[in-house]
Amino acid sequence: LLPEQSAAKAKAILQQVISALGGRAFLNVRDSDCTGRLVQFGHSGETLGNTLFRELWLLPAKNRMEYITKGQHNIVGYLLGADGLSIVQGGVLITVFDGDQGWMLDKSGVSSQPEDVIKSFAEQVKSGMNNMLRSRMDEDGVEFRYAGSDLVDMKEAEWIEISDRDHRALRMSVEKSTHLPLRWVVATRDPETRERTEIVTSYTQFISVDGVQTPLSVSRAQNGRQVSQIFFTGCKYNSNLSPQLFTPASLEQHSSEASKKGYKDGKDNK
């Protein structure tokens, strides 16, 4: 195919993806509130942790993740690279991001996220599949290419390649029969070491929620090694989440309520 034909074919397939994901309903998502279970894997494929969570998004770049753990163990910050955040027994760890700012609440209180974690979050937003489909397709410097057909998870699929002016290399595989996404691949290169990292997100078990096709299982692999799998138990869209939830003040409030409850529970158990 000539470059113009390839770009036109790629864009036509991406429009089919948007329609399959819910069309207007998908494009008009302003916020989401999802619950589920996060399973993390070690270098040999062993299960590191199994954590219940609630994740809130106020699009495009406000995120709140509440982890609910039973017992003392570490949550590896698989999304954002903040490794080994220790959680108080039976406690909750909450991370909040708002664009280029971020905070967390753990057993030592509320603190700012390290700069590299905030950068990592901003990159995750910028290179995310939903963000590309909802708001970046007409951005200056974003180019599309049809990259042929393939078998993915034993399903007939087509690959689309996307690049942007910041030299991100993004790829999507789309199931031919349903037009739903199967894979989203983000390849980056460290500017100093030139080392290449490839993160592959796989989507399965789509169901319709408020008119939006939503995957119940999302698996993530880095350089060929599976690092996590999310199983969603529920999602709702456009429930008018308050921007206040994405502030350090909301974490301070949660912390003070939790300590009051802990004090009360302690008294009740005496």
Side-chain angles (χ1 to χ4, degrees), residues 80-125:
L80 308 168
D83 281 352
L85 297 170
S86 178
I87 277 224
V88 68
Q89 187 165 358
V92 176
L93 178 138
I94 303 175
T95 60
V96 163
F97 293 91
D98 181 0
D100 57 1
Q101 302 177 88
W103 307 271
M104 65 179 169
L105 169 64
D106 63 9
K107 63 184 177 186
S108 58
V110 177
S111 56
S112 291
Q113 290 276 17
E115 196 176 318
D116 61 330
V117 174
I118 292 170
K119 265 191 185 160
S120 185
F121 171 77
E123 181 56 34
Q124 182 203 334
V125 169

Side-chain angles (χ1 to χ4, degrees), residues 235-259:
C235 268
K236 49 183 192 253
Y237 297 105
N238 296 342
S239 50
N240 292 319
L241 295 176
S242 165
Q244 179 60 26
L245 286 164
F246 305 90
T247 61
S250 74
L251 296 182
E252 296 284 6
Q253 185 183 349
H254 188 285
S255 176
S256 96
E257 284 169 4
S259 58

Side-chain angles (χ1 to χ4, degrees), residues 32 38 61 122 124 133 138 154 179 181-182 192 200 251 256 266 268-269:
S32 65
L38 163 65
Q124 182 203 334
L133 292 174
D138 296 326
M154 304 304 290
H179 306 304
L182 293 168
E192 287 169 14
V200 180
L251 296 182
S256 96
D268 290 349
N269 289 336

